């Protein structure tokens, strides 16, 4: 695993087995520096197991992983792991402490000076005005943001979040989303975020890894996924060369499939299209609209790999 790699996190054939249960089976994952990597999978797919291995909370049965090019078998992995902050399952908060007191304790545990960055960190996660309110009185969303603040105390380059919006109300989900985007875009933090709430991930992720029954089915960029999921109209016409000429004149994105069939992508101005085709003596015999969502893409992916 190359220390000069563009990936801050890689795994190779990573496996984890508990007695007779295989939680992870030969998982390869590649998280590019600067990405928001969405780890997609149903409950029980292996997301939390993978994250626990990466955080050093458990050891793999076989296979390897590296952080910033440092293999997990190296003694230097402890130094590399200091560049990573994580919230695994529920945040580890002191319920009888305020947000500030929780952060002070975390700074002390890490052996870091805390006075200078505390106010900025509280403001960043939207908890600057919580005063003497104890964590046990916080909403679920506030607790999750405090958990993220604790993970940020060591100024990590990589933030790992396990189901951060699980159980949150719509407002809480928006707040976590905005925080993740701010951390990534304004502070340059790479984020690995696991979730089964696909609509929310689609608003964040630059890269995806789809995991199912412990198997990594596919890794794909957001742009590649968008191209796979983008709106498509399937046309049957009497003359595809005429259709091609019309699409070129209207600046439409299309693909000719045969002498009578074609796919058009994006927003299609049907009235202008049919009028222009009639002038070319080309008749539209049928059309079908397709608009695949991230959820449909994932369901199709696992449907084709249900044996995995």
């Amino acid at each position: 695993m190359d220390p000069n790699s563009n990936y801050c996190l890689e795994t190779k054939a990573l496996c984890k087995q508990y007695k007779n249960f295989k939680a992870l089976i030969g998982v390869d994952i590649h998280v590019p520096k600067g990405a928001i990597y969405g780890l997609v999978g149903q409950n029980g797919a292996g997301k939390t197991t993978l994250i626990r291995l990466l955080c050093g909370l458990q050891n793999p049965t076989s296979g390897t992983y590296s952080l910033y090019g440092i293999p997990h078998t190296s003694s230097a992995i402890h130094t590399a792991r200091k560049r990573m902050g994580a919230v695994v399952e529920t945040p580890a908060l002191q319920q009888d402490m305020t947000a500030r007191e929780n952060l002070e304790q975390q700074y002390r545990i890490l052996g870091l000076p805390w006075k200078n960055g505390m106010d900025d960190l509280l403001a960043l996660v939207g908890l600057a005005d919580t005063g003497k309110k104890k964590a046990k009185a916080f909403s679920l969303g506030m607790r999750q943001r405090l958990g993220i603040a604790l993970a940020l105390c060591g100024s990590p380059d990589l933030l790992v979040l396990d189901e951060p919006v699980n159980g949150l109300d719509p407002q809480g989900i928006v707040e976590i989303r905005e925080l993740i985007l701010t951390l990534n875009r304004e502070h340059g933090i790479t984020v690995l975020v696991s979730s089964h709430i696909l609509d929310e991930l689609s608003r964040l992720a630059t890269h995806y890894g789809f995991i199912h029954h412990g198997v990594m089915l596919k890794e794909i960029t957001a742009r590649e996924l968008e191209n796979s999921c983008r709106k498509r109209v399937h046309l049957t016409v009497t003359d595809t060369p005429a259709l091609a000429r019309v699409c070129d004149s209207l600046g439409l994105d299309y693909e000719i499939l045969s002498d009578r069939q074609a796919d058009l992508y994006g927003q299609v101005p049907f009235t202008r299209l049919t009028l222009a085709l009639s002038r070319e003596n080309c008749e539209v015999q049928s059309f079908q609209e397709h608009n695949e969502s991230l959820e449909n893409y994932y369901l199709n992916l696992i449907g084709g790999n249900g044996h995995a």
Side-chain angles (χ1 to χ4, degrees):
M1 296 182 180
D2 182 4
N4 298 314
S5 166
N6 289 322
Y7 301 116
C8 61
L9 168 62
E10 290 181 86
T11 74
K12 187 173 182 181
L14 201 63
C15 296
K16 182 63 179 177
Q17 186 163 339
Y18 303 97
K19 294 186 179 177
N20 295 324
F21 175 63
K22 294 180 178 178
L24 295 176
I25 306 167
V27 170
D28 290 351
I29 190 172
H30 308 82
V31 179
K33 294 172 184 173
I36 299 178
Y37 187 105
L39 183 60
V40 181
Q42 298 166 322
N43 290 332
K47 303 188 301 296
T48 298
T49 299
L50 176 59
I51 286 172
R52 289 179 69 82
L53 295 186
L54 299 175
C55 293
L57 299 174
Q58 294 179 342
N59 294 316
T61 305
S62 62
T64 58
Y65 67 87
S66 69
L67 293 172
Y68 293 96
I70 306 297
H72 82 278
T73 51
S74 167
S75 59
I77 192 64
H78 301 293
T79 302
R81 201 172 274 122
K82 288 179 180 177
R83 300 178 65 179
M84 178 173 71
V87 182
V88 185
E89 297 169 305
T90 53
L93 309 180
Q94 296 298 322
Q95 299 295 331
D96 287 318
M97 289 185 178
T98 66
R100 176 177 288 274
E101 288 167 346
N102 266 279
L103 290 183
E104 285 177 5
Q105 177 173 278
Q106 184 69 3
Y107 273 93
R108 280 195 291 269
I109 289 169
L110 295 173
L112 297 171
W114 50 267
K115 288 190 177 180
N116 294 335
M118 184 83 63
D119 291 334
D120 290 340
L121 188 48
L122 285 168
L124 178 61
V125 300
L127 296 175
D129 299 325
T130 53
K132 295 183 179 180
K133 190 174 187 177
K134 306 291 188 188
K136 63 185 176 186
F138 284 9
S139 69
L140 187 58
M142 291 168 70
R143 281 184 220 154
Q144 196 70 300
R145 283 183 277 128
L146 179 54
I148 292 173
L150 293 175
L152 293 171
C153 283
S155 300
D157 303 309
L158 170 64
L159 181 64
V160 178
L161 303 174
D162 184 21
E163 297 276 5
V165 300
N166 213 12
L168 298 188
D169 61 21
Q171 179 63 30
I173 289 173
V174 170
E175 288 169 353
I176 295 294
R177 181 205 311 155
E178 293 302 316
L179 176 55
I180 291 171
L181 289 172
T182 297
L183 293 173
N184 177 254
R185 294 173 180 175
E186 297 180 20
H187 298 267
I189 297 174
T190 304
V191 183
L192 170 64
V193 52
S194 79
S195 186
H196 65 278
I197 305 174
L198 302 187
D199 180 59
E200 188 54 36
L201 266 188
S202 69
R203 301 166 193 264
L204 285 170
T206 61
H207 297 72
Y208 296 91
F210 295 93
I211 191 168
H212 186 59
H213 292 332
V215 176
M216 182 62 74
L217 299 180
K218 191 176 185 69
E219 288 189 299
I220 190 171
T221 68
R223 179 167 292 183
E224 289 167 339
L225 183 64
E226 186 180 320
N227 287 337
S228 297
C229 294
R230 65 182 169 162
K231 188 173 181 180
R232 172 171 59 91
V233 178
H234 183 73
L235 286 179
T236 302
V237 296
T238 54
D239 183 355
T240 49
L243 176 65
R245 290 194 297 274
V246 168
C247 287
D248 287 338
S249 69
L250 294 176
L252 300 179
D253 188 6
Y254 66 94
E255 181 182 4
I256 303 298
L257 304 174
S258 69
D259 57 350
R260 295 185 58 196
Q261 295 188 323
D263 283 340
L264 275 61
Y265 298 99
Q267 291 297 117
V268 177
F270 274 108
T271 304
R272 290 172 61 202
L273 178 68
T274 51
L275 286 172
L277 287 174
S278 67
R279 289 195 291 270
E280 293 274 351
N281 296 315
C282 176
E283 181 184 340
V284 177
Q285 296 179 317
S286 71
F287 70 90
Q288 291 176 300
E289 287 190 276
H290 301 270
N291 194 9
E292 188 174 38
S293 66
L294 172 58
E295 187 169 357
N296 287 337
Y297 180 90
Y298 174 63
L299 290 174
N300 288 334
L301 196 61
I302 66 172
N305 292 271
H307 61 280

